[in-house]
């Protein structure tokens, strides 16, 4: 594994000169190349971890591809689509929960050592892992350690007071009234996290709802069980884990419900154990919080390998005029402090000045807990392309939520399942996702009585009126899909797109144009994004001699509303 301090030193050199750019400026020349040479880049590449500049593709298994005609995506479906992912350029997959669970979303395990039967067998899963490896695609699993299902055997036994399970969860004889509330807010509302169990005649702590009781992760037996479970799946060949809700594993009273020192220490210990089993295992934290706090989970180099940069996606949406975003399961201080002159450089500066190194932060646009980007921008394909350019120009391990590469949208945001609905592969029945008459979003047994499933058919019908599927976009060399494929290829082949490449973002023409430059040694990539609804001329002195347009929407010398162009030398 890469020596983190050595890389940090290299990055310090590479990122020199990335100060805050003004929001308004006249045309300027391309950022001066840094002193980092191609040989330096090659030396870094030779020692960096496999995930450092990887592109991850987040898959919601239930919605990806159904091979057995039951209306539910499955492991064989993911395996069948590995050539698709390889063609796109993906080299890693994040599978959202695929352990046995009573809910459709799977974040409430009832079994740690069994796969979700809706997705297939353990043999199917093992075959998927091996097939992916054969195509140089690593798979990480979504691991929920903070809580499990109230239907899990441990909780059932704990409710009965059976040893050794009696203290596997956090119990109180009386409802606490001393300031408890949701772990991600300052609200005082103890009934949202403390729930009564009739059998034990006591209250148990469950930050994510009564059906998902928090484990007592101060209990040595529970700690050992989590390590045992992690080893089981590492031995199956998975490359690591996306760790859910890392901020909440240990509470120290009502005023310390998140990001406690005990929580940080827990993850350091867990990381050290995982690395002892598989030194190149990758651990990425879902810490839905501002970057300086998320950085704590790096643990001075002994903790988790990475954390998601939630702020980055918020900045992208703000640039696309979507507005402020809601941190549904997190704490983001978006309104704090003065408005930055340059959102992107401010985000980069925050990454550079936290207690963690730059490579800790992984940019992404949206995930399964957020409204899809395409829905938020009104399914505007040009805006989806701008978002893609912003994402892939940003340093770090990149994450794509399945369907973002075709600007997949959603029917509404009435229910979270709309954010997680089936992939659109072609224009056939059920969008090529399944041969079933009804797909899983139409299964009443998966959802509470108040949920309605009639939305799917009209949504599908409306979407089939346009090029809103993989097949249609693969046939169009200027589609959202084609841009994603192009950008992923640039990230793989051009060193300036790596973590050590220089990054500079600058606003031109009263903020209507955004210039982004990635450079390393004598190699540079220049992007120009039209953020406005106006037709904008490309400034005459913007592109230096020797640069060639490698992506442009048409042959005109102008950028229409929300178009982009890319030049490289």
């Amino acid at each position: 594994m890469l020596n983190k301090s050595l890389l940090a030193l290299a990055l310090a050199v590479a990122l020199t000169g990335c100060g805050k750019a003004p929001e308004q400026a006249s045309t300027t020349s391309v950022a001066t190349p840094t002193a980092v040479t191609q040989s330096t880049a090659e030396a870094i590449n030779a020692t960096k971890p496999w995930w450092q500049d990887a592109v991850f593709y987040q898959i919601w298994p239930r919605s990806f591809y159904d091979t057995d005609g039951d209306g539910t995506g499955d492991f064989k479906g993911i395996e069948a689509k590995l050539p698709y992912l390889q063609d796109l350029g993906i080299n890693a997959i994040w599978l959202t929960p695929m352990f046995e669970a009573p809910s459709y979303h799977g974040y409430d395990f009832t079994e740690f050592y069994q796969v979700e039967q809706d997705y297939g067998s353990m043999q199917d899963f093992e075959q998927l892992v091996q097939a992916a490896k054969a195509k140089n695609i690593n798979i990480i699993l979504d691991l929920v350690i903070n809580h499990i299902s109230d239907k899990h055997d441990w909780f059932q036994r704990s409710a009965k007071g059976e040893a050794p399970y009696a203290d596997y969860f956090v119990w109180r004889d009386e409802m606490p009234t001393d300031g408890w509330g949701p772990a991600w807010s300052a609200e005082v509302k103890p009934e949202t996290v403390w729930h009564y169990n009739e059998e034990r005649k006591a209250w148990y702590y469950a930050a994510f709802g009564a059906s998902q009781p928090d484990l007592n992760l101060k209990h040595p037996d529970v700690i050992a069980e989590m390590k045992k479970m992690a080893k089981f799946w590492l031995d199956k060949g998975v490359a690591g884990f996306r760790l859910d809700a890392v901020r909440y594993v240990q509470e120290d009273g009502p005023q310390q419900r998140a990001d406690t020192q005990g929580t940080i220490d827990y993850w350091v210990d867990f990381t050290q154990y995982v690395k002892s089993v598989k030194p190149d295992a990758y651990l990425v934290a879902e810490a839905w919080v501002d970057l300086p706090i998320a950085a704590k989970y790096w643990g001075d180099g002994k903790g988790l390998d990475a954390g998601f940069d939630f702020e980055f996606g918020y900045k992208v949406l703000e640039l696309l005029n979507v507005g402020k975003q809601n941190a549904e399961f997190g704490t983001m201080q978006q309104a704090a402090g003065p408005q930055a002159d340059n959102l992107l450089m401010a985000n980069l500066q925050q990454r550079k000045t936290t207690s963690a190194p730059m490579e800790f932060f992984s940019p992404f646009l949206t995930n399964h807990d957020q409204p899809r980007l395409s829905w938020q921008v009104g399914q505007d394909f040009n805006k989806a392309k701008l978002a893609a350019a912003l994402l892939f120009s940003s340093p770090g391990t990149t994450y794509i939520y399945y369907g973002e590469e075709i600007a997949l949208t959603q029917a509404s945001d009435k229910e979270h399942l709309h954010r997680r609905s089936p992939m659109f592969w072609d224009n056939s029945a059920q969008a090529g996702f399944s041969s079933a008459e009804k797909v899983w979003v139409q299964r009443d047994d998966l959802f509470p009585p108040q949920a309605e499933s009639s939305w799917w058919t009209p949504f599908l019908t409306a979407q089939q009126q346009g090029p809103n599927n993989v097949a249609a976009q693969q046939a169009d060399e200027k589609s959202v899909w084609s841009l994603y494929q192009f950008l992923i290829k640039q990230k793989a082949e051009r060193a300036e797109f790596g973590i050590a490449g220089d990054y500079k973002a600058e606003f031109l023409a009263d903020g209507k144009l955004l210039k982004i430059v990635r450079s390393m040694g004598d190699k540079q990539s220049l992007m120009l994004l039209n953020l406005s609804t106006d037709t904008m001329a490309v400034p005459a002195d913007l592109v230096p001699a020797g640069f060639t347009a490698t992506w442009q929407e048409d042959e005109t010398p102008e950028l229409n509303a929300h178009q982009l162009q890319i030049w490289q030398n």
Side-chain angles (χ1 to χ4, degrees):
M1 189 193 305
L2 177 66
N3 181 298
K4 293 182 178 179
S5 60
L6 178 61
L7 180 58
L9 179 61
L11 294 178
V13 175
L15 293 166
T16 300
C18 285
K20 184 163 67 174
E23 181 170 352
Q24 300 180 14
S26 59
T27 56
T28 58
S29 60
V30 177
T32 303
T34 67
V36 177
T37 64
Q38 195 67 29
S39 60
T40 301
E42 290 171 357
I44 292 173
N45 286 338
T47 55
K48 69 182 181 182
W50 63 264
W51 60 82
Q52 190 69 81
D53 291 311
V55 178
F56 277 80
Y57 190 90
Q58 181 191 355
I59 291 178
W60 191 266
R62 198 173 289 278
S63 284
F64 198 57
Y65 187 54
D66 169 26
T67 58
D68 60 8
D70 66 353
T72 297
D74 45 50
F75 295 132
K76 287 185 178 295
I78 299 170
E79 182 181 353
K81 293 299 184 180
L82 288 175
Y84 164 78
L85 296 175
Q86 191 175 40
D87 185 35
L88 186 60
I90 299 300
N91 43 28
I93 293 170
W94 156 24
L95 289 183
T96 54
M98 35 64 69
F99 303 162
E100 191 66 49
S103 68
Y104 86 89
H105 56 72
Y107 282 91
D108 50 347
F109 304 165
T110 51
E111 294 287 348
F112 290 124
Y113 302 102
Q114 294 180 18
V115 298
E116 171 58 60
Q117 59 184 341
D118 287 352
Y119 302 159
S121 66
M122 181 67 81
Q123 182 179 354
D124 294 338
F125 172 75
E126 292 170 347
Q127 184 173 313
L128 167 61
V129 172
Q130 294 308 313
K133 281 187 177 181
K135 295 185 179 298
N136 296 315
I137 297 175
N138 285 309
I139 292 179
I140 67 169
L141 304 184
D142 210 323
L143 195 61
V144 186
I145 284 179
N146 180 73
H147 51 268
I148 59 176
S149 172
D150 62 346
K151 295 178 174 60
H152 194 287
D153 184 60
W154 289 359
F155 187 76
Q156 300 292 316
R157 293 188 174 197
S158 186
K160 292 180 172 65
E162 291 184 19
Y165 306 101
D167 295 324
Y168 273 30
F169 302 87
V170 182
W171 294 94
R172 296 288 184 271
D173 291 335
E174 302 291 338
M175 160 80 86
T177 58
D178 53 349
W180 288 90
W184 44 84
S185 80
E187 182 183 14
V188 177
K189 196 174 183 180
E191 63 271 20
T192 62
V193 294
W194 289 100
H195 310 277
Y196 188 71
N197 179 267
E198 184 65 38
E199 184 166 18
R200 185 152 166 166
K201 307 297 183 187
W203 302 82
Y204 62 93
Y205 184 78
F208 289 86
S211 65
Q212 300 175 68
D214 278 40
L215 286 163
N216 179 6
L217 287 162
K218 296 179 180 180
H219 194 299
D221 291 352
V222 178
I223 292 171
E225 287 284 357
M226 295 300 101
K227 291 176 179 177
K228 175 184 172 184
M229 182 254 293
K231 183 179 186 302
F232 175 85
W233 293 104
L234 291 170
D235 289 346
K236 292 287 183 185
V238 304
F241 304 104
R242 177 266 190 187
L243 299 163
D244 185 67
V246 298
R247 303 178 59 209
Y248 311 120
V249 300
Q250 288 191 13
E251 295 79 23
D252 290 326
Q255 305 308 318
Q256 297 185 65
R257 305 189 295 270
D259 310 308
T260 65
Q261 188 58 50
T263 292
I264 306 297
D265 294 343
Y266 173 86
W267 289 117
V268 168
D269 177 68
F270 181 82
T271 300
Q272 295 304 302
Y273 173 76
V274 166
K275 299 293 186 180
S276 74
V277 174
K278 182 177 172 60
D280 67 341
Y282 169 63
L283 299 174
V284 57
E286 186 218 15
W288 199 335
V289 69
D290 297 294
L291 299 186
I293 297 176
K296 294 180 180 181
Y297 291 90
W298 185 61
D300 294 324
K302 297 179 181 179
L304 305 177
D305 297 299
F308 292 108
D309 183 354
F310 281 86
E311 180 185 286
F312 174 80
Y314 290 7
K315 301 299 186 190
V316 170
L317 287 163
E318 193 169 341
L319 285 172
L320 298 179
N321 298 314
V322 174
K324 300 292 185 182
Q325 300 298 297
N326 179 31
E328 294 188 22
F329 301 110
T331 312
M332 300 290 292
Q333 303 299 322
Q334 296 179 74
Q339 177 65 47
D341 291 333
N342 186 320
L343 296 174
L344 298 175
M345 295 306 292
N347 173 251
L348 184 75
Q349 186 66 21
Q350 271 228 301
R351 291 195 228 174
K352 289 167 59 179
T353 55
T354 68
S355 59
M358 268 280 293
E359 68 267 23
F360 179 81
F361 299 104
S362 297
F364 71 102
L365 298 174
T366 62
N367 65 25
H368 62 285
D369 282 328
Q370 299 167 295
R372 282 189 171 276
L373 178 133
S374 183
W375 184 76
Q376 295 193 67
V377 300
Q379 206 173 8
D380 183 323
F381 281 8
N382 279 347
K383 283 190 174 183
K385 290 178 184 179
L386 294 183
L390 291 165
L391 175 63
F392 281 93
S393 61
S394 186
T397 305
T398 308
Y399 281 79
I400 303 170
Y401 185 38
Y402 80 96
E404 278 181 339
E405 75 274 22
I406 59 168
L408 184 66
T409 189
Q410 58 192 65
S412 73
D413 207 40
K414 293 178 181 178
E415 302 282 348
H416 282 190
L417 70 93
H418 290 207
R419 308 169 179 180
R420 308 158 180 175
S421 57
M423 180 70 167
F424 282 29
W425 294 103
D426 57 39
N427 220 25
S428 63
Q430 303 293 13
F433 162 70
S434 173
S435 61
E437 183 178 344
K438 287 188 174 183
V439 297
W440 72 270
V441 294
Q442 298 171 290
R443 278 177 54 186
D444 294 333
D445 62 303
L446 281 176
F447 307 107
Q450 66 270 23
E452 54 88 20
S453 60
S454 62
W455 61 271
W456 171 250
T457 299
F459 170 65
L460 174 63
T461 301
Q463 288 298 301
Q464 289 179 324
Q465 305 309 305
N468 303 312
N469 60 74
V470 170
Q473 294 200 25
Q474 284 181 324
D476 178 3
E477 63 180 12
K478 297 302 180 184
S479 68
V480 179
W481 188 92
S482 294
L483 178 61
Y484 266 84
Q485 185 189 46
F486 171 80
L487 291 170
I488 293 171
K489 184 178 182 182
Q490 304 315 298
K491 187 176 176 72
E493 296 181 355
R494 294 186 62 104
E496 68 264 34
F497 282 93
I499 189 71
D502 184 40
Y503 175 98
K504 186 174 182 180
E506 185 177 3
F507 290 89
L508 311 172
D510 294 328
K512 292 182 178 181
L513 295 176
L514 171 62
K515 181 184 75 172
I516 298 175
V517 178
R518 295 303 311 272
S519 59
M520 174 169 278
D522 59 355
K523 290 295 183 181
Q524 295 186 355
S525 293
L526 185 159
M527 297 181 177
L528 186 65
L529 286 66
N530 183 359
L531 300 177
S532 76
T533 57
D534 298 334
T535 297
M536 301 293 294
V538 176
D541 58 349
L542 181 79
V543 185
F547 277 64
T548 301
T550 53
W551 178 273
Q552 58 187 122
E553 299 295 324
D554 49 50
E555 299 301 324
T556 65
E558 300 173 323
L559 291 178
N560 292 326
H562 303 127
Q563 283 189 340
L564 73 133
Q565 191 162 343
I566 302 172
W567 298 265
Q568 294 170 314
N569 68 354

